[in-house]
Amino acid sequence: MSALTLILGDQLTPDLSSLSDFNPSTDTVLMAEVMEEATYVGHHKKKLAFVFSAMRHFAEELEATGVAVRYVKLTDPENEGSLRGEVARALDADPGIDTLIITKPGEWRLLSDMEVWANIFDVEVELRDDTRFIATLSEFSTWAAHRKQLRMEYFYREMRQKTGLLMEGDSPAGGKWNYDQDNRKRLPKSAVTPQRWFCQPDQVTQDVLDMITHRFPDNFGDLEPFVFGVTRHDAEAARDAFMAEILPGFGDYQDAMAKDEPWMWHSILSIYLNVGLLDPLDLCERAEAEWKSGRAPLNAVEGFIRQILGWREYVRGLYWWSGPKYAKSNFLNAQNALPDFYWTGETDMACLADALGQTIRHAYAHHIQRLMITGNFALLAGIHPDHVNDWYMSVYADAYEWVELPNTHGMALFADGGMIASKPYAASANYINKMSDYCAGCRYNSKTRTDEDSCPFNTLYWDFLIRHSQRLQGNPRMSLLMKNAIKMPDRERDLIQRRARTVLKSLNIYPTKD
């Protein structure tokens, strides 16, 4: 008898839990490109190309070690179009298979389907925990139990103590847990951003690009130039280039934004990390080694490690701990539809035009652009969480629900009512002007809020405070702002609200019809 091991497109790791006892003499790996996974959201063309090419290269990596791989391409005439259908076809083709082994997927949508497969297929179905994370889900549940607030900072500190990363005995290296205050510098005009490590497509990738061109012509985003690596070797080369050449400057300008500067000092490693081509603990340990050797400052290394050991582990734990109901919350009762310019990038707001334009071109925007530009505007404009969550899942190459949903739903939109964020991350043009050069070249005035040329961020920011003054007045971090909004003279309040309605109408933002 033998086992069939199903490996998903974001599970491209040789030491995957489902492969831990793989027997090359009897067992088979199944990998399948299926339309159901390619279309459950309208993925960016670059993401589709990256995942399919990385899958094909990983299959070759496994085969080179003697693993038998049943690989189903999207274009195979007999492709059933779904993972369930391809599992059924593989089982029918080999009656000797008595066990189906799967590392649990990263989405409730898939897990809920796989949990009934034991009732469908005449084989034992074994769903194994995903061991590619630093914290187990049970560890997170234990940490979260009986806590009134699930703040990432405190989980991060426990992970530092667990791993020993950036620790000096029982104390944090340098005497502080968090160096975020040191990482908020605006990019100087004289600054030169670093060159990036990118790849040229090989023949496997070119075949995938051709397929995407023909099969998904109407999907979001530009397919070429395609510069992402697609193999473990590529991912490790990108990692090494970041550690040696870019990490030292990462901290100072971590929150900065600049026109036509999509990469800045960001690692751009999440695309590889989230499919299993890189290991999170290894990345953290390598970054720590750069600090210990004196090649990178502590604020840069701590900031990078916090993104992985802190945020990434935290949002994964919270996603599974909260359950499917998390996505249904809408604390601020946001009901507007997502405007078309999120898909076209065609807007006179310079900050949004830049962030959306690079998203279209690269399937990438760094975390401050996602939080304080596209996310912030959606928050202020009252866009329905479902629309925003779907957009983020569709447009970024590193987006998977376990990581994207908490960051978007909780951090950017405050739709969870404060489970993740201690306050809504609402900001006016003042923040954008402070942290970027966008406002200098924008047709809108970043200093006013009710004039015809006032920046929409300003108008909608104050309208947001007025609309939610009662709902948020109990938030200790918002109390002063809410008191000011409540005490605002009626004439000023009415002027802001009338202007906000005009702004939304001019941007074709209306209540959703769903």
Side-chain angles (χ1 to χ4, degrees):
M1 306 305 288
S2 61
L4 179 68
T5 299
L6 174 64
I7 294 180
L8 306 180
D10 60 349
Q11 297 180 345
L12 311 182
T13 310
D15 58 356
L16 195 67
S17 60
S18 57
L19 293 172
S20 62
D21 52 359
F22 186 87
N23 186 342
S25 64
T26 60
D27 300 344
T28 302
V29 161
L30 170 64
M31 299 181 69
E33 305 166 7
V34 294
M35 285 299 291
E36 187 171 76
E37 296 308 302
T39 58
Y40 73 93
V41 294
H43 298 291
H44 196 295
K45 293 186 185 79
K46 276 189 169 71
K47 180 179 181 180
L48 290 172
F50 168 72
V51 172
F52 287 156
S53 182
M55 287 174 65
R56 294 184 186 188
H57 283 90
F58 183 64
E60 292 180 352
E61 180 184 344
L62 290 177
E63 288 174 330
T65 65
V67 172
V69 179
R70 178 187 173 97
Y71 195 94
V72 183
K73 293 182 178 180
L74 194 73
T75 54
D76 286 355
E78 296 182 359
N79 190 317
E80 291 287 341
S82 68
L83 292 173
R84 185 192 291 194
E86 281 306 311
V87 168
R89 194 159 69 94
L91 294 175
D92 287 343
D94 187 350
I97 296 173
D98 63 348
T99 306
L100 173 62
I101 302 173
I102 313 166
T103 292
K104 291 178 182 177
E107 298 185 5
W108 283 107
R109 173 186 63 87
L110 276 176
L111 181 62
S112 61
D113 185 44
M114 291 177 178
E115 285 178 333
V116 303
W117 286 6
N119 300 325
I120 297 172
F121 303 128
D122 191 24
V123 296
E124 179 184 352
V125 177
E126 186 178 337
L127 289 167
R128 297 181 178 178
D129 290 338
D130 192 340
T131 56
R132 298 174 299 162
F133 292 84
I134 301 168
T136 66
L137 296 181
S138 62
E139 281 180 307
F140 185 89
S141 295
T142 299
W143 173 81
H146 311 302
R147 287 180 179 265
K148 292 182 179 179
Q149 294 182 327
L150 303 180
R151 297 290 173 251
M152 184 280 293
E153 178 66 24
Y154 300 106
F155 177 75
Y156 169 56
R157 294 180 185 183
E158 289 203 9
M159 289 297 100
R160 290 270 295 275
Q161 292 168 326
K162 171 187 173 178
T163 60
L165 287 163
L166 298 181
M167 297 295 295
E168 296 171 341
D170 294 331
S171 301
K176 294 194 298 183
W177 291 103
N178 186 316
Y179 288 84
D180 201 35
Q181 290 294 331
D182 299 335
N183 296 350
R184 296 174 180 171
K185 294 182 176 66
R186 179 189 172 105
L187 187 70
K189 291 182 179 179
S190 60
V192 177
T193 55
Q195 294 294 309
R196 310 307 303 210
W197 180 95
F198 288 130
C199 268
Q200 292 296 317
D202 63 7
Q203 189 56 56
V204 172
T205 300
Q206 190 58 57
D207 290 344
V208 171
L209 295 176
D210 293 342
M211 180 185 73
I212 300 301
T213 297
H214 290 98
R215 292 293 183 108
F216 302 93
D218 299 324
N219 276 48
F220 178 82
D222 297 341
L223 180 58
E224 297 187 84
F226 187 86
V227 296
F228 295 129
V230 290
T231 67
R232 193 167 319 284
H233 179 269
D234 293 341
E236 290 170 351
R239 173 201 67 197
D240 294 346
F242 170 74
M243 295 292 175
E245 303 165 15
I246 301 171
L247 176 60
F250 170 72
D252 288 352
Y253 306 119
Q254 183 178 334
D255 287 4
M257 299 173 285
K259 187 176 185 298
D260 297 325
E261 292 286 357
W263 316 117
M264 304 288 281
W265 279 263
H266 295 277
S267 73
I268 323 178
L269 296 178
S270 58
I271 185 174
Y272 308 120
L273 182 59
N274 289 352
V275 297
L277 293 177
L278 293 175
D279 177 77
L281 184 58
D282 176 73
L283 284 177
C284 292
E285 289 172 343
R286 287 174 183 270
E288 182 186 47
E290 293 299 306
W291 167 66
K292 287 183 174 180
S293 69
R295 293 187 293 268
L298 182 56
N299 71 307
V301 171
E302 188 279 319
F304 177 73
I305 288 177
R306 180 161 23 98
Q307 287 189 340
I308 298 172
L309 184 65
W311 272 114
R312 187 174 187 269
E313 295 290 324
Y314 168 80
V315 297
R316 188 245 183 175
L318 187 137
Y319 173 82
W320 290 108
W321 183 81
S322 302
K325 66 182 185 299
Y326 180 78
K328 303 300 181 184
S329 56
N330 188 0
F331 177 75
L332 297 176
N333 193 32
Q335 297 296 335
N336 285 334
L338 190 76
D340 287 344
F341 65 75
Y342 267 68
W343 299 106
T344 66
E346 296 173 1
T347 173
D348 288 337
M349 288 176 277
C351 57
L352 273 165
D354 190 68
L356 294 169
Q358 72 179 56
T359 298
I360 292 169
R361 291 188 297 274
H362 305 302
Y364 173 82
H366 65 71
H367 69 282
I368 293 299
Q369 292 173 309
R370 298 190 202 194
L371 176 64
M372 301 307 300
I373 303 297
T374 52
N376 180 28
F377 186 85
L379 170 70
L380 300 180
I383 309 302
H384 195 287
D386 288 351
H387 292 211
V388 186
N389 291 332
D390 285 348
W391 183 80
Y392 274 87
M393 277 293 295
S394 298
V395 303
Y396 292 117
D398 59 1
Y400 299 88
E401 191 177 74
W402 66 266
V403 65
E404 198 64 60
L405 179 65
N407 273 300
T408 304
H409 198 76
M411 195 69 177
L413 300 179
F414 205 69
D416 63 3
M419 183 179 292
I420 291 180
S422 57
K423 71 176 186 67
Y425 273 78
S428 68
N430 182 55
Y431 173 88
I432 298 170
N433 193 36
K434 176 184 176 182
M435 296 305 301
S436 77
D437 61 0
Y438 291 142
C439 298
C442 187
R443 86 162 180 86
Y444 291 106
N445 188 338
S446 65
K447 305 299 182 184
T448 62
R449 63 188 185 188
T450 56
D451 296 343
E452 285 192 10
D453 66 344
S454 293
C455 175
F457 277 87
N458 286 345
T459 306
L460 297 178
Y461 172 75
W462 284 99
D463 180 63
F464 175 88
L465 297 182
I466 293 168
R467 280 187 288 123
H468 299 297
S469 57
Q470 298 297 326
R471 183 179 277 115
L472 295 173
Q473 65 178 333
N475 185 304
R477 295 189 64 191
M478 299 285 287
S479 58
L480 182 59
L481 280 171
M482 292 301 103
K483 287 178 183 178
N484 290 339
I486 291 171
K487 293 179 180 179
M488 184 179 291
D490 290 345
R491 182 179 179 281
E492 182 70 9
R493 182 186 297 109
D494 291 344
L495 190 61
I496 290 170
Q497 291 182 308
R498 285 200 304 272
R499 180 60 192 164
R501 289 193 291 270
T502 300
V503 166
L504 292 177
K505 185 177 180 180
S506 71
L507 296 173
N508 292 316
I509 298 175
Y510 301 100
T512 178
K513 297 178 181 179
D514 294 349

